[in-house]
Amino acid sequence: MSTAVFAGCEALTVGVGSIGCAAIAGAAGSLVEQGFKCAEAGGAACSVGAFAGSAVTGAIAGALGGRLAPSAGS
């Protein structure tokens, strides 16, 4: 999921929004993962707070990964 979202975002922004695209992709991937947790466990895993926290955590991880990736190649 994250890869597809990132690729689509990169295509739309022609590479200009790389860090933002990485954040969006991270959030999307985390939301899908949270959806699976919700389906398995129910209860608190299905709360708005759980999904919001997951999205924020994924966005931060994605943005940091997107920021660090170019420097890893050099």
Side-chain angles (χ1 to χ4, degrees):
M1 175 58 136
S2 297
T3 303
V5 170
F6 183 76
C9 182
E10 283 289 290
L12 289 174
T13 64
V14 193
V16 175
S18 293
I19 294 173
C21 289
I24 292 168
S30 289
L31 286 170
V32 169
E33 185 177 336
Q34 188 63 38
F36 282 109
K37 289 178 185 176
C38 173
E40 290 176 4
C46 298
S47 71
V48 172
F51 277 91
S54 181
V56 169
T57 301
I60 291 169
L64 288 174
R67 180 74 176 130
L68 296 176
S71 63
S74 54

